[in-house]
Amino acid sequence: MDKPTLRDVQLIELCIAKEIKRICTKHNICYFMSDGTLLGAVRHKGFIPWDDDMDFGMPLEDYKKFLCVAKEELSEDFFLQHVTTDASYILPYAKVRMNGTAVKETVAVDSKMHCGIWVDIFPYVTIEEKQAFSASFFWKANLLMTMYLMKNGYALNAVTRNPLKKIAKNILKYMPVKKKFLQRYIFGLLRDGSETSDYCMKIRAVLGEQFVFRRQWFDYCTEIHFEDDIFPAPVCYDQILTKEYGEYMVIPKRAERKTHSTVSVCIDESVMKKLREY
């Protein structure tokens, strides 16, 4: 078949998203569009034209519930990727991947993990107020996360342009810190803080203050059109998107439009046939 297009990838991600929606609806699991997916829904009523992934968020308890039921509920067309289902996967959040597809990312080109086209599922955890405004907390988390990824074979320097940052990351890679210590710290972040805290944090590969939000922003959801379907979105999406992107309704210049850095994308013909049936 012809080389897969960006639109082919987007449609497969949409197919994955509909499967996630089916499971969450059936089991009353709270989930919502996040990041570029939320931005795309609000600004484009679907994918950002140059975007190549989808993101959903879940409160921590719903995330744990999803991990349990998805192992049994997911169609055989899909794979739930988590540290408990893929020995080569190390990230502190889950992905649902499409079997019969393969995406080789530049940062993980040598990884043996399942590398199908994916949708990210990020847990949101409550965070103590003192941490929510602590530059040292995020500096430490960023440092240890970078070290953790580098020591586990992620080629972060392949997508790093600044030569000084490349040197710093190489130093972190060879620091005498055990992988198990780093793993305990990273996954230790996957727990709710004080129930009285007004803040929550989205877990992702590299933490930063831009991923800390008011908990009340996620108290209620509405439904927003995304392509040919509708998905939940926080009612306070304006505050969330402003926090992440600033003037988010302004279309960025071409040079500022970011996608994942990939080496190759493959889609089996059988997958394309099934996709046409959805």
Side-chain angles (χ1 to χ4, degrees):
M1 64 173 291
D2 296 333
K3 182 179 178 181
T5 65
L6 172 60
R7 188 57 179 167
D8 291 332
V9 172
Q10 290 177 341
L11 291 177
I12 287 175
E13 290 167 352
L14 182 60
C15 181
I16 299 171
K18 290 178 179 180
E19 176 72 353
I20 293 171
K21 175 182 177 178
R22 180 187 70 80
I23 293 173
C24 289
T25 301
K26 179 179 178 180
H27 292 277
N28 195 31
I29 294 172
C30 175
Y31 76 110
F32 45 83
M33 292 183 286
S34 69
D35 304 288
T37 303
L38 179 60
L39 175 57
V42 173
R43 194 171 68 192
H44 302 276
K45 305 302 180 186
F47 284 98
I48 297 172
W50 55 90
D51 199 9
D52 59 355
D53 76 339
M54 286 189 75
D55 301 313
F56 287 111
M58 296 179 184
L60 183 59
E61 289 306 311
D62 291 272
Y63 173 78
K64 291 178 180 178
K65 183 177 179 181
F66 179 82
L67 292 181
C68 289
V69 301
K71 291 178 181 179
E72 303 298 328
E73 286 276 358
L74 275 175
S75 157
E76 63 181 9
D77 295 332
F78 308 96
F79 174 70
L80 174 67
Q81 189 170 50
H82 183 256
V83 292
T84 62
T85 64
D86 186 337
S88 298
Y89 185 71
I90 65 165
L91 298 177
Y93 53 89
K95 297 175 183 283
V96 176
R97 299 209 186 237
M98 175 71 81
N99 292 323
T101 68
V103 178
K104 281 294 183 180
E105 293 184 86
T106 305
V107 295
V109 68
D110 295 323
S111 175
K112 296 179 181 179
M113 68 181 175
H114 190 304
C115 60
I117 294 171
W118 75 91
V119 170
D120 286 318
I121 302 177
F122 294 105
Y124 282 60
V125 301
T126 59
I127 183 173
E128 301 284 355
E129 185 170 347
K130 63 182 180 181
Q131 290 180 321
F133 296 98
S134 171
S136 62
F137 168 76
F138 290 104
W139 180 85
K140 177 182 177 181
N142 195 335
L143 182 74
L144 295 181
M145 179 69 82
T146 301
M147 190 182 299
Y148 175 66
L149 294 175
M150 292 290 289
K151 284 180 175 291
N152 280 282
Y154 273 67
L156 299 184
N157 276 340
V159 292
T160 301
R161 296 182 180 180
N162 187 309
L164 292 178
K165 289 184 177 181
K166 286 187 175 184
I167 293 172
K169 288 176 180 177
N170 280 330
I171 292 173
L172 290 177
K173 182 177 180 179
Y174 295 105
M175 289 285 286
V177 180
K178 293 183 178 180
K179 290 182 183 180
K180 287 187 177 180
F181 166 80
L182 295 170
Q183 185 179 47
R184 282 197 302 270
Y185 176 82
I186 300 303
F187 283 84
L189 297 171
L190 285 173
R191 64 177 186 274
D192 280 326
S194 171
E195 293 183 1
T196 61
S197 174
D198 291 330
Y199 299 93
C200 67
M201 175 179 71
K202 188 188 93 169
I203 298 293
R204 65 171 297 160
V206 179
L207 298 170
E209 290 182 70
Q210 69 268 36
F211 301 117
V212 173
F213 309 96
R214 290 274 184 178
R215 283 178 65 186
Q216 65 190 41
W217 292 352
F218 300 91
D219 283 347
Y220 301 99
C221 282
T222 184
E223 292 187 325
I224 298 181
H225 280 278
F226 188 95
E227 299 292 334
D228 64 349
D229 208 333
I230 55 174
F231 294 93
V235 169
C236 296
Y237 62 78
D238 178 65
Q239 291 94 319
I240 295 167
L241 291 175
T242 299
K243 178 74 182 289
E244 289 192 271
Y245 301 102
E247 295 182 3
Y248 61 87
M249 292 303 288
V250 177
I251 304 294
K253 297 177 182 178
R254 187 175 296 275
E256 298 171 349
R257 301 173 185 178
K258 297 180 180 180
T259 59
H260 287 84
S261 178
T262 59
V263 175
S264 63
V265 179
C266 299
I267 304 173
D268 289 352
E269 181 60 34
S270 59
V271 173
M272 294 305 299
K273 283 184 178 180
K274 288 182 180 179
L275 187 61
R276 298 184 195 109
E277 297 171 358
Y278 276 93

